Amino acid sequence: VCLDGALEGWQALDDWLALAHEPVAHRGAAADDAFQMYTSGTTGRPKGAVLSQQALFTAIYQWCLLYPLAPGDRQLLMLPMYHIAGLQNAFHAAACGASVYLQSELDAPELVRVLDEERIARAPLVPTIIGDLLRVPGVEQRRYATLRFMTYGGAPIDAALLARALEVF
């Protein structure tokens, strides 16, 4: 889509947006493929993992029930969107009407500031990053007034680290 008029081989943004008001010609079925992501996990060679429309919808719906966000809420996203964890979090925020606050690099002091000052409601992280945040000087003096959910995944979390995170955040 071309933002500034139409170029050869591109559709003008205004024309593309006008399509949103036209009826949908085909609605996918629950068993239809939604997308394919590649994963190798710990087994080595990448494999294409296909998610159906139903699987994707069900996962997003469950997250909306578990971590309810609302319009005006912000969800931190620093997990890569080429991975299901990052993409699922982006879909979750959109499904709830919330927005995504992208943070592309780990800068622990900046991330502590973001969690406190940028109205973050949910922060999905990994235990290593949570540990990095807890080592930032002054982390416990901040308020985190809008932070309702800090979730972790990708690895087990040490009980002492989890207890400290619950205390601080």
Side-chain angles (χ1 to χ4, degrees):
V1 173
C2 183
L3 299 177
D4 190 21
L7 298 174
E8 186 175 334
W10 293 78
Q11 186 175 13
L13 176 63
D14 292 337
D15 295 342
W16 185 75
L17 291 173
L19 294 174
H21 301 291
E22 294 184 14
V24 176
H26 169 74
R27 294 204 181 271
D32 287 351
D33 297 344
F35 59 82
Q36 179 174 357
M37 297 193 84
Y38 285 85
T39 178
S40 60
T42 58
T43 62
R45 297 184 53 86
K47 297 166 281 301
V50 179
L51 257 63
S52 70
Q53 297 286 340
Q54 183 66 49
L56 182 60
F57 169 81
T58 301
I60 293 167
Y61 183 70
Q62 289 174 342
W63 281 29
C64 290
L65 293 174
L66 188 58
Y67 309 115
L69 299 175
D73 281 343
R74 288 178 158 183
Q75 179 165 264
L76 176 73
L77 185 56
M78 50 183 312
L79 303 170
M81 285 197 285
Y82 60 80
H83 188 276
I84 190 62
L87 191 58
Q88 178 75 15
N89 280 291
F91 287 157
H92 165 243
C96 292
S99 63
V100 170
Y101 187 99
L102 292 173
Q103 186 79 21
S104 61
E105 296 178 16
L106 175 59
D107 175 339
E110 172 62 8
L111 190 52
V112 165
R113 184 200 69 76
V114 165
L115 290 172
D116 181 33
E117 297 176 15
E118 297 296 338
R119 301 182 340 268
I120 303 298
R122 180 171 180 252
L125 300 168
V126 296
T128 305
I129 293 176
I130 294 171
D132 291 343
L133 298 178
L134 291 172
R135 286 189 287 281
V136 171
V139 66
E140 62 280 335
Q141 273 81 46
R142 292 194 170 256
R143 294 187 54 232
Y144 314 103
T146 59
L147 186 61
R148 298 193 313 272
F149 308 104
M150 180 180 279
T151 58
Y152 69 89
I157 193 166
D158 177 75
L161 177 62
L162 180 57
R164 176 86 170 117
L166 287 168
E167 176 187 319
V168 169
F169 299 110

